[in-house]
Amino acid sequence: MTLITDSDWVTRGWQVYEDKELNDADDAFVEDDDGIMQRIISGVNSSRSNICLADLYHQGVDAILRTVAVRFHSEWDSDSASKRYKKLTTGEHPPLPQLTEAQYSAFLRDAGRQQFWKEARVQADGVSGPTLTPLSDAMNAKNWHFHPIGFLAQMRECLTTDVALSEEAFEVELRTNWVIGLKLIEKRLKQLEPWSDPHKSLPAAPNQLVVPVREYATLGTISNRRHSTLWENFIYWFGVDPNTIATPVVATTYTTRSAAPAGHHIYLYMKGMRDAFRHVSTQHIVKGSLGFEAGAWVWQNRYPEKPLVPAENGFKMECINIACQHGLFFKRFLRTEPVGQNRMQLQLHEISHMVGTTCSDDQTISLPDGQRDPNRYNRTVAYGAEGARVLAEFQPERALANAENVSLFILSGKDEPN
């Protein structure tokens, strides 16, 4: 949007403040950050209830601070710098230390190297309006700033690779995917109930079981990706049937696996992932620009210092980092399209990494010596449907602990009758 006058800011829903409204002194310090935050929040708070700043900071203030502008003296201007930063010599602004005269002089010299207002002729070359008309008078060093948190929130949205998707629309899509993902996980959990106890007798395979062909191993190609029964999809994505005794190979040190029916391993995964999806909220999601290569990740076994709300029965969850555009190899998100599998599959993939769920890995494909490999999968990470399928064909014990295989197996439930 184009904002020209102060009235434009207000008309479009922004809160605008002069420095004297928020700061008692004409210097470079803010005396009471919480007091200023309370004043800004009160400006958009229509209810009469008091806002607890601790809870507010905990929940996040991006949505409010993204539309706040304050007119302060530019830090890039060196005029009156010795006066504006004088409190550094008196210790009046803790926790900043009190500087000696020599230290203060060194600080001013260092700051001066970064202050370009005069050298860049900003005052003389100021412009106004969409036509960039030169200002008739010198531009004042006092100008409009975003609140720092609001500025970062704006940059996160502007720098995402899918710039047409606002953070609000992103959250709506996340929540929609969570609902669908949880339903598919619960569907799988119900189907795998016969394998909940590894010591009980295992169910017999269906009479008319169509075993998926090991295409890449025998033909060097992959095409039969869609199946319509639990057993077929299980074999397709994990390389073994649910009754096969297997020990998933995990690379992380956070968990170990014992030999058990493959169906039992996946049943336990589904239980953990269901708990995670029941607790997940946007408090756990770090939104932002991750560039074109990475779309999301989880810091395994690392938890927020402050417990997230709600924390039912002490439930702990690692944070998830998800960007708006999940790599060049995914289709662009359009608001008018129905929710596809790409983003939901990525979220299922990340949830499966959590220590409390499957604690899955991103496994590397290792093909036998002499194996035909026209698509060059050997020594690559098993990402995507094709990579996950190749892993299942050659290394089922790794496919059973690979995040991509777990997430794609969950999604394949869409192709099975309810």
Side-chain angles (χ1 to χ4, degrees):
M1 65 179 74
T2 300
L3 300 171
I4 301 174
T5 68
D6 297 355
S7 298
D8 289 331
W9 291 92
V10 179
T11 302
R12 293 184 180 271
W14 285 70
Q15 294 186 79
V16 291
Y17 299 93
E18 290 280 347
D19 54 355
K20 60 186 177 183
E21 297 179 76
L22 301 176
N23 201 22
D24 294 332
D26 182 20
D27 57 25
F29 298 95
V30 174
E31 303 302 327
D32 184 0
D33 181 59
D34 280 351
I36 288 177
M37 280 300 304
Q38 188 73 65
R39 197 173 307 178
I40 292 173
I41 299 306
S42 298
V44 295
N45 183 33
S46 57
S47 68
R48 295 186 178 181
S49 59
N50 292 326
I51 299 177
C52 174
L53 282 170
D55 289 342
L56 184 67
Y57 281 123
H58 177 48
Q59 297 288 343
V61 294
D62 298 27
I64 294 173
L65 294 180
R66 279 168 56 203
T67 53
V68 171
V70 182
R71 192 169 184 263
F72 273 117
H73 192 119
S74 171
E75 66 270 37
W76 311 123
D77 176 50
S78 58
D79 274 355
S80 305
S82 58
K83 172 189 173 184
R84 298 183 62 242
Y85 294 101
K86 192 66 177 176
K87 287 182 181 177
L88 288 174
T89 65
T90 61
E92 294 179 65
H93 200 72
L96 295 177
Q98 182 175 354
L99 302 183
T100 66
E101 285 299 325
Q103 290 171 331
Y104 185 56
S105 296
F107 164 76
L108 291 179
R109 286 196 302 271
D110 184 58
R113 296 187 184 100
Q114 305 170 59
Q115 292 172 319
F116 55 81
W117 190 265
K118 286 184 177 178
E119 290 77 358
R121 295 181 53 80
V122 176
Q123 286 179 295
D125 295 338
V127 295
S128 177
T131 60
L132 304 183
T133 304
L135 295 177
S136 56
D137 299 319
M139 188 175 178
N140 196 298
K142 282 190 175 183
N143 48 70
W144 290 104
H145 294 65
F146 290 116
H147 187 284
I149 295 177
F151 172 75
L152 293 175
Q154 289 276 6
M155 292 303 294
R156 277 208 313 272
E157 181 170 329
C158 291
L159 290 176
T160 50
T161 55
D162 190 347
V163 295
L165 180 62
S166 70
E167 290 198 54
E168 288 77 12
F170 181 55
E171 287 192 10
V172 169
E173 190 210 349
L174 279 177
R175 293 178 186 277
T176 303
N177 283 337
W178 290 341
V179 171
I180 299 172
L182 179 58
K183 287 182 178 179
L184 290 172
I185 289 171
E186 289 181 332
K187 176 178 181 176
R188 286 299 192 212
L189 196 58
K190 184 176 180 180
Q191 292 174 318
L192 294 168
E193 182 67 32
W195 288 271
S196 60
D197 186 343
H199 304 295
K200 288 186 176 180
S201 58
L202 301 175
N207 293 329
Q208 297 182 338
L209 174 62
V210 178
V211 179
V213 177
R214 298 183 73 236
E215 288 186 309
Y216 200 72
T218 57
L219 305 175
T221 185
I222 298 175
S223 61
N224 60 331
R225 302 182 198 172
R226 179 170 295 183
H227 303 279
S228 59
T229 70
L230 168 68
W231 280 72
E232 291 170 355
N233 274 315
F234 197 103
I235 296 172
Y236 190 73
W237 292 115
F238 298 118
V240 292
D241 67 49
N243 288 344
T244 302
I245 304 300
T247 305
V249 174
V250 291
T252 60
T253 59
Y254 304 122
T255 187
T256 57
R257 305 278 187 241
S258 301
H264 178 67
H265 291 298
I266 306 304
Y267 173 80
L268 294 179
Y269 293 174
M270 296 302 103
K271 282 188 66 177
M273 292 181 72
R274 179 182 63 181
D275 288 342
F277 266 96
R278 284 178 171 176
H279 287 82
V280 74
S281 76
T282 52
Q283 295 179 77
H284 300 88
I285 300 297
V286 180
K287 302 176 292 294
S289 170
L290 302 181
F292 289 93
E293 297 297 330
W297 73 91
V298 165
W299 285 107
Q300 285 186 310
N301 212 34
R302 295 189 187 181
Y303 304 91
E305 293 182 6
K306 186 173 182 179
L308 296 171
V309 179
E312 179 183 330
N313 297 324
F315 188 87
K316 294 169 66 179
M317 181 183 288
E318 301 102 315
C319 278
I320 315 166
N321 301 264
I322 300 181
C324 283
Q325 179 78 8
H326 304 320
L328 292 174
F329 43 86
F330 289 102
K331 68 177 184 180
R332 275 187 66 83
F333 170 82
L334 295 175
R335 213 166 307 181
T336 55
E337 290 184 350
V339 176
Q341 77 171 40
N342 288 319
R343 289 173 187 260
M344 181 166 60
Q345 185 259 320
L346 184 143
Q347 293 164 42
L348 291 169
H349 175 119
E350 296 307 322
I351 290 287
S352 77
H353 276 320
M354 291 182 172
V355 173
T357 58
T358 75
C359 195
S360 63
D361 296 319
D362 291 324
Q363 301 275 0
T364 299
I365 299 169
S366 297
L367 300 182
D369 292 341
Q371 171 61 44
R372 184 185 177 195
D373 185 22
N375 294 345
R376 299 182 181 180
Y377 285 111
N378 195 31
R379 301 176 187 257
T380 65
V381 179
Y383 286 137
E386 289 85 359
R389 175 56 188 159
V390 171
L391 188 68
E393 286 192 5
F394 290 95
Q395 296 172 295
E397 71 284 355
R398 292 190 178 276
L400 285 165
N402 188 51
E404 201 78 333
N405 292 70
V406 173
S407 61
L408 289 165
F409 169 68
I410 295 170
L411 282 174
S412 66
K414 296 190 297 183
D415 300 322
E416 299 170 12
N418 293 324

